[in-house]
Structure formats: C-alpha cells, structure tokens
Amino acid sequence: MKKKKGMIVLILVLIVLLAVYFALQTWNSSQEEQEQEAEEASQIHITETDGEDITALSFNVGNGDLAFEKQDGTWVYTPDPDFPLAQSYPEDIAAAVGDITADRKLENGDTLADYGLDDPQYTIEFTDTEGNVTSLYFGNMTGDYYYVTAGDEGIAYTVASTALDTLNYTIEDMAQLDEYPSIGSGNLVKEVITQNGETTTYDSENEDQSEDIAAVAGGLGAVTLSDAADYSVADEDLAGFGLDEASRITVEATYTNDDAEEVLTLYIGNEDGEGNRYVMMNDSRIVYLISTEICNNILNAED
C-alpha cells in the first residue's frame, strides 16, 4: 500500500512539473511574440510592398542603370529580354526594396537639399501589381546611414547603408551561365571534330588513339564557363566571333553520365587577341571566352 501511495505521489508531482513546464513555455512564447510585435510596431516603414507583388524594377546604385520586369511570371532584363537572368537576383531585390525601414524620420529639420536629396546619389523605382509606382532617392551619407526620401512627400529618413547591399551587382553578375558537364578520360566515349568540311574522330575503343583520347579529354575537362563576351548573341553577330556555320569548328563529345551516354556540342570560333577563343555550347546563346591552350587540347592541335 505504501508503495502505491508513493507512486501516486510521484505521478502527481510529475504532472505538476509538466504543467509548470508547459505554462512557462507558453508564457515565453507569448513574451517573444509580444516583443516581436512591439519591435515591428516601432519600425518606420518607408516601403511596405510584398516582393511578389512587384512587377517592374529600375535602379542605379553605382553599377549603371538596370531595369527588370516580369513577363508571364518570369523576370527579364528590360533592355535585353533574352539575357540569361538568374531569377534569384530580381526576386531578392524586389523583396528588399519592398521592405525598406528607416532608423529615423527627420521632421521639422533641414531642407532636402541639405541632405543631398535635391541631387540624389542613387534612385530606385518599382511598380506593383496595382500599377502604383514608388520612387526612392538616396542622398548624402551620415555615418553608416543614407538620407532617403520617397516620392515627393518631402520627408527625409535615415536608412542603413546595408539596404543597398542586395542591389549592388552588375548585370554580368546576374547572368545564369550554362552548366558544363564533368568530362575526363574515364568517361569520354568519343569526340568528333568537324572543320572546313572535314571530320576527325577520336574513339576510346580504338587502342591506337589512347593518347589522343587522353589529350582531348584533358582539354574538355579543363573548361570552365566563367567569362563571357556576349550573353545573348544575335544570329547576325555570330560571324564577328567566327561562330557562324561557315566559320566555326564543331566538336561533338559523347560521354557517359550515370551509365547513360550524353552529347556535348561545342562551337569554337576566332581568337580574341588576348589568348582566348570564342566558344558556344549546345543551343546556348552565350559566347564564352576559353583559353586558346585549352581549345587546342580539345582539338588535339599544336599551339
């Protein structure tokens, strides 16, 4: 009987402790929510637009005039809709400019000219789904803050300089480059080179071509797609790079990827005069710069 009473007491103590624990958890959660709500209420919002509701953007924060717009739900670079734009950049920018908060609101202070806002350093403009246009102007700096005004409201704010970090890219930084496959002597099956109407084939099953296969595989494996001469070349401009059908060298490399055979097509054009050649791959419209040495290895050619 004593053991049963002891067990009952322990169970009751445990229940009480659990009740206290969950009560504390609930209280802490409530406190955190209240603190977060108080913090949000104290923020000075200059813009309050959901990034997904922004349909057009234009700005210049020191990297040139940049403009983007949504077409059928996809962001494009307005001056060149064919530019291979990585979607994460305009998405992040839209989210950032749609939620800009100020550290201070400067009322009854100096004129906008005193803050450098009569001739702003930077301008940001965006349009939402309702067609509303919001313009932001960034003037002089004070410490780690910019003086900012919105539209023609005539009120100056101080905004942390970090508000511009998400916009601090060139259009080249925002390019979505092609994904280049992993090719080496271990998975290269065959390479076919067509130049001036003549075809040269290097086949991994041909034992007499083992050194040739190793050489061209080394060239194919050394390619990195990082420098571009044109991000959306027009057909009429291909000849200027030596990449029109009449001038280019075509390389078709068959390789294995997870036991399946795939084909990479490279088009090799002229030299740029700085130790590189113009190269395109598959059906991409990007003209890359690949070193002449690597191109020579791919073609199994002498320097």
Side-chain angles (χ1 to χ4, degrees):
M1 182 66 73
K2 288 182 179 180
K3 288 183 177 179
K4 288 183 178 179
K5 287 182 178 179
M7 287 294 294
I8 292 171
V9 171
L10 289 174
I11 291 171
L12 290 173
V13 170
L14 178 61
I15 291 172
V16 171
L17 290 174
L18 287 172
V20 171
Y21 171 77
F22 285 116
L24 286 173
Q25 287 288 93
T26 302
W27 184 83
N28 286 335
S29 177
S30 176
Q31 285 293 106
E32 289 176 0
E33 288 179 5
Q34 291 179 22
E35 290 174 3
Q36 183 176 350
E37 289 174 0
E39 182 181 348
E40 291 177 354
S42 67
Q43 290 180 336
I44 304 170
H45 287 273
I46 301 179
T47 60
E48 290 186 271
T49 303
D50 192 306
E52 294 185 357
D53 292 333
I54 293 177
T55 59
L57 288 161
S58 61
F59 54 90
N60 186 338
V61 295
N63 292 317
D65 293 322
L66 296 175
F68 307 93
E69 61 187 77
K70 273 186 180 177
Q71 294 184 0
D72 298 325
T74 300
W75 283 102
V76 299
Y77 179 47
T78 303
D80 182 6
D82 292 325
F83 181 88
L85 181 65
Q87 294 297 294
S88 60
Y89 288 97
E91 288 171 357
D92 290 346
I93 292 169
V97 301
D99 184 24
I100 292 181
T101 57
D103 177 65
R104 288 186 301 151
K105 182 178 181 180
L106 306 175
E107 297 180 286
N108 302 318
D110 297 330
T111 65
L112 293 181
D114 294 320
Y115 300 123
L117 290 168
D118 58 332
D119 184 20
Q121 294 188 49
Y122 309 127
T123 300
I124 301 171
E125 187 174 277
F126 65 84
T127 306
D128 64 21
T129 52
E130 302 277 321
N132 300 312
V133 178
T134 301
S135 300
L136 299 167
Y137 305 102
F138 287 68
N140 298 335
M141 286 196 75
T142 172
D144 293 328
Y145 295 84
Y146 281 104
Y147 291 115
V148 176
T149 190
D152 57 0
E153 66 178 15
I155 299 174
Y157 304 84
T158 55
V159 173
S161 59
T162 54
L164 297 179
D165 288 353
T166 308
L167 291 74
N168 196 19
Y169 296 99
T170 65
I171 188 59
E172 290 78 16
D173 293 331
M174 301 184 193
Q176 180 66 63
L177 301 181
D178 298 295
E179 185 175 346
Y180 187 82
S182 175
I183 301 178
S185 56
N187 69 336
L188 179 61
V189 177
K190 181 172 60 176
E191 180 185 90
V192 179
I193 303 169
T194 302
Q195 181 177 13
N196 298 325
E198 297 183 0
T199 298
T200 302
T201 301
Y202 299 108
D203 195 324
S204 62
E205 293 187 357
N206 186 339
E207 294 182 358
D208 294 334
Q209 293 184 326
S210 58
E211 290 186 6
D212 296 319
I213 284 290
V216 298
L220 290 166
V223 172
T224 56
L225 305 179
S226 56
D227 296 325
D230 194 316
Y231 290 90
S232 55
V233 65
D235 287 341
E236 58 267 26
D237 295 328
L238 288 173
F241 296 108
L243 289 168
D244 56 308
E245 288 188 22
S247 307
R248 68 195 183 191
I249 303 171
T250 301
V251 177
E252 291 185 338
T254 303
Y255 63 98
T256 56
N257 180 24
D258 293 333
D259 298 326
E261 287 194 359
E262 298 183 15
V263 178
L264 165 71
T265 302
L266 292 178
Y267 302 108
I268 301 177
N270 298 335
E271 293 191 36
D272 70 343
E274 297 183 9
N276 305 295
R277 293 186 74 162
Y278 299 113
V279 177
M280 294 176 68
M281 64 175 284
N282 297 334
D283 56 356
S284 172
R285 303 302 298 180
I286 303 176
V287 178
Y288 294 98
L289 291 168
I290 307 297
S291 79
T292 300
E293 181 181 359
I294 289 176
C295 290
N296 285 342
N297 288 337
I298 292 172
L299 299 173
N300 199 25
E302 295 293 335
D303 291 340

